[in-house]
């Protein structure tokens, strides 16, 4: 295999480091072109989510340093960036991808959202002709394994997700959910999950603010909420008891000044805020304001961990599936190395066969007896096929290359069976009698 990964994720870096290297979907085509322009890179794919930014490429592992440089110069990265990077190559890279696809490397054990994000990244790379056979095979295998894990284990049975954790925290802070108002910023998959959880727990009102008001309206209709454009966000903040944000904006959409104004209007009523976005949607200093309880996606980890016990046994089963599938995939990839040689040998032998067959037909047409022609053809065919291997065996013998001779013997005669080995073993002679 020639698969490589360089990345940063929630296991290696906190959100303040991860948010520096998020690559938006609109920026990914340019990033793919830059990576593929590096010497030794034949294919590339970018996976960038709130928990990870990982570059996958086929070819030499040598460009890892240049790829790290591309990430570092994409934004003003600070201390801790280089130390947070990790690399994987070949079988280790495939194993990492398989675990990511199955949700085993996620903050939320067994979450399914990452599989969809991987498919989106793969589809985008395909659209820009950035992936071919090597990356294509390993990603298709990853999707197949993820499906098998979902089908054969209970990894996704328990209701544990970032959205679930955010709503669970909100319920701990507020009694009487039906008397409170939630303001959701964004309209993507995570916010949709949050909205449905809130509705399921009986929240009083849901407001959804999004750059695309049409998209916000569709989600609002689904949860009996109210939609608004993002530029009216400051007007809705004073009424929000619960604020949950998850947009793809490159900068904060909720500033400290906006929150100060809202707090004055709220007259010391507590406000619970969760910033699920990376880069963050809510300025960090908002959490320093009185009566504001601000959590980031990393803060939700403790809540998520409490709810993952039921998934741990299923993850053991999933790891075993991945181990077996990785072994099978690695074996198949190693066998691909022999494919050109196998094809060349077969073409060469078939060429000799066709020449012998044409010669036999000409001899029969000239009136030679069929049995004589058959004998001549078989002899000539055997001689031509075995000539070069025989000469090479003689050379190996002259050079005392015992290993080559053993491999050749196995290649032409096959591996000896246990019964063959027993029959060729030196017989044990009975002890002589002194009588």
């Amino acid at each position: 295999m020639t698969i490589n990964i360089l990345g940063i994720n929630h296991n290696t870096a906190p959100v303040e480091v991860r948010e520096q290297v998020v690559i938006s979907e609109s920026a990914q085509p340019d990033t793919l072109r830059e990576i593929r322009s590096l010497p030794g890179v034949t294919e590339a794919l970018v996976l960038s989510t709130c928990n990870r930014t990982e570059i996958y490429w086929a070819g030499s592992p040598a460009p890892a340093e240049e790829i790290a440089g591309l990430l570092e110069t994409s934004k003003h990265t600070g201390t801790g960036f280089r130390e947070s990077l990790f690399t994987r190559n070949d079988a280790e890279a495939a194993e990492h991808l398989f675990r990511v696809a199955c949700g085993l490397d996620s903050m939320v054990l067994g979450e399914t959202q990452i599989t969809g994000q991987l498919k989106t990244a793969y589809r985008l790379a395909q659209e820009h002709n950035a992936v071919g056979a090597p990356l294509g095979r390993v990603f298709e295998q990853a999707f197949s394994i993820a499906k098998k894990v979902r089908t054969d284990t209970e990894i996704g049975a328990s209701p544990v997700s970032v959205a679930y954790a955010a709503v669970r925290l909100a319920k701990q802070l507020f009694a009487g959910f039906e008397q409170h108002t939630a303001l959701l910023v964004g309209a993507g998959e995570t916010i949709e999950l949050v909205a449905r959880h809130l509705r399921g727990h009986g929240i009083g009102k849901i407001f959804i603010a999004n750059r695309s008001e049409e998209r916000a309206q569709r989600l609002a209709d689904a949860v009996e909420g109210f939609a608004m454009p993002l530029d009216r966000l400051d007007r809705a903040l004073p009424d929000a008891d619960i604020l949950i944000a998850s947009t793809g904006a490159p900068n904060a959409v909720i500033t400290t000044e906006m929150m100060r104004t809202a707090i004055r209007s709220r007259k010391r009523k507590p406000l619970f805020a969760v910033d699920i976005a990376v880069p963050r949607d809510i300025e960090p200093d908002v959490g320093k304001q009185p009566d504001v309880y601000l959590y980031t996606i990393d803060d939700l980890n403790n809540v998520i961990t409490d709810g993952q016990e039921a998934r741990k046994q299923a993850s053991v089963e999933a790891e075993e599936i991945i181990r077996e599938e990785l072994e099978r995939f690695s074996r198949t990839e190693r066998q691909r190395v022999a494919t050109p040689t196998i094809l060349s040998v077969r073409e060469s032998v078939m060429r000799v066969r066709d020449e012998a067959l044409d010669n036999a037909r000409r001899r029969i047409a000239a009136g030679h007896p069929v049995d004589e022609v058959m004998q001549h053809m078989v002899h000539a065919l055997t001689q031509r096929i075995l000539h070069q291997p025989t000469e090479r065996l003689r050379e190996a013998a002259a050079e005392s290359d015992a290993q080559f001779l053993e491999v050749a013997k196995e290649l032409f005669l096959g591996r000896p069976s246990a019964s063959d080995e027993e029959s060729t073993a030196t017989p044990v002679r009975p002890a002589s009698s002194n009588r």
Side-chain angles (χ1 to χ4, degrees):
M1 285 184 287
T2 55
I3 308 301
N4 310 280
I5 306 172
L6 180 140
I8 187 170
N9 61 31
H10 67 285
N11 294 314
T12 67
V15 64
E16 56 265 26
V17 176
R18 297 199 308 274
E19 69 183 355
Q20 297 173 34
V21 289
V22 169
I23 303 172
S24 67
E25 190 171 321
S26 61
Q28 287 184 24
D30 288 339
T31 304
L32 289 171
R33 279 192 289 273
E34 286 186 89
I35 295 169
R36 292 186 67 213
S37 70
L38 297 173
V41 176
T42 58
E43 304 173 26
L45 182 146
V46 175
L47 174 65
S48 192
T49 73
C50 58
N51 283 332
R52 67 187 70 242
T53 293
E54 297 175 356
I55 308 298
Y56 295 74
W57 77 95
S60 168
E65 183 63 27
E66 287 89 341
I67 292 172
L70 289 177
L71 289 180
E72 192 167 24
T73 56
S74 64
K75 289 190 178 180
H76 299 292
T77 51
T79 305
F81 167 69
R82 286 278 177 159
E83 295 81 358
S84 301
L85 291 174
F86 69 89
T87 58
R88 300 284 187 274
N89 308 107
D90 295 328
E92 287 187 355
E95 181 181 13
H96 175 82
L97 172 60
F98 296 166
R99 297 186 77 255
V100 169
C102 295
L104 298 184
D105 193 63
S106 297
M107 180 183 291
V108 181
L109 181 64
E111 58 103 355
T112 58
Q113 192 174 357
I114 186 61
T115 310
Q117 291 166 331
L118 271 172
K119 288 182 177 180
T120 299
Y122 180 52
R123 186 165 54 251
L124 191 148
Q126 283 181 312
E127 289 170 358
H128 290 85
N129 300 313
V131 294
L135 277 185
R137 287 195 301 270
V138 74
F139 269 81
E140 292 294 346
Q141 185 70 12
F143 300 144
S144 175
I145 293 172
K147 183 177 180 181
K148 182 177 177 63
V149 166
R150 298 287 167 202
T151 303
D152 295 356
T153 75
E154 296 293 317
I155 192 72
S158 302
V160 177
S161 66
V162 170
Y164 171 83
V167 175
R168 182 178 167 186
L169 267 178
K171 284 210 73 177
Q172 290 176 3
L173 186 62
F174 294 107
F177 234 38
E178 68 282 353
Q179 299 171 13
H180 293 92
T181 297
L183 171 59
L184 309 184
V185 185
E189 185 177 347
T190 301
I191 288 296
E192 181 178 350
L193 287 172
V194 169
R196 294 187 184 280
H197 280 305
L198 286 169
R199 176 55 62 204
H201 284 87
I203 192 70
K205 291 180 184 177
I206 299 178
F207 288 93
I208 298 167
N210 192 54
R211 200 172 304 279
S212 167
E213 192 172 1
E214 180 183 351
R215 191 170 178 179
Q217 189 62 59
R218 283 200 300 270
L219 179 53
D221 291 342
V223 295
E224 300 178 6
F226 305 91
M228 65 174 63
L230 200 60
D231 57 16
R232 290 182 55 195
L233 188 59
D234 55 340
R235 302 181 191 178
L237 274 175
D239 295 323
D241 304 307
I242 298 166
L243 170 66
I244 301 178
S246 179
T247 76
N251 301 302
V253 296
I254 300 166
T255 66
T256 305
E257 188 54 42
M258 287 170 62
M259 190 59 74
R260 284 198 189 103
T261 303
I263 290 168
R264 283 195 292 269
S265 300
R266 290 181 60 78
K267 299 178 181 178
R268 300 200 61 85
K269 287 172 61 180
L271 188 149
F272 168 79
V274 180
D275 191 346
I276 301 175
V278 179
R280 285 172 286 185
D281 282 333
I282 304 174
E283 288 185 349
D285 282 351
V286 165
K288 299 177 183 178
Q289 304 308 305
D291 303 309
V292 175
Y293 301 87
L294 174 62
Y295 295 81
T296 67
I297 190 168
D298 287 357
D299 295 326
L300 297 179
N301 194 31
N302 292 333
V303 179
I304 292 167
T305 301
D306 291 342
Q308 293 192 91
E309 291 302 319
R311 296 190 174 192
K312 286 187 177 178
Q313 180 55 42
S315 72
V316 173
E317 299 169 12
E319 295 280 9
E320 180 62 21
I321 290 173
I322 289 174
R323 188 192 64 76
E324 292 173 358
E325 294 294 332
L326 177 64
E327 187 176 320
R328 185 177 297 112
F329 179 76
S330 298
R331 190 186 309 115
T332 302
E333 288 297 302
R334 289 193 297 269
Q335 289 172 345
R336 289 184 190 278
V337 176
T339 299
T341 302
I342 293 170
L343 290 175
S344 296
V345 169
R346 290 181 67 86
E347 288 173 3
S348 176
V349 171
M350 288 178 180
R351 198 160 44 244
V352 171
R353 178 204 64 184
D354 292 342
E355 290 172 3
L357 188 58
D358 289 342
N359 184 52
R361 285 170 176 156
R362 285 194 297 269
R363 288 172 63 84
I364 290 172
H368 291 275
V370 173
D371 188 59
E372 178 188 314
V373 172
M374 294 288 288
Q375 291 286 346
H376 180 272
M377 183 184 72
V378 171
H379 177 74
L381 196 58
T382 305
Q383 288 295 103
R384 288 195 62 183
I385 290 174
L386 291 180
H387 173 71
Q388 193 170 349
T390 301
E391 290 299 307
R392 182 66 187 90
L393 284 168
R394 288 188 177 123
E395 290 176 12
E399 296 166 0
S400 300
D401 192 345
Q403 184 177 7
F404 181 87
L405 292 171
E406 282 299 317
V407 170
K409 182 179 179 182
E410 182 178 316
L411 181 63
F412 285 99
L413 303 179
R415 293 178 180 174
S417 64
S419 59
D420 291 336
E421 292 177 350
E422 288 173 5
S423 64
T424 57
T426 303
V428 179
R429 300 187 179 213
S432 60
S433 173
N434 290 327
R435 290 180 296 171

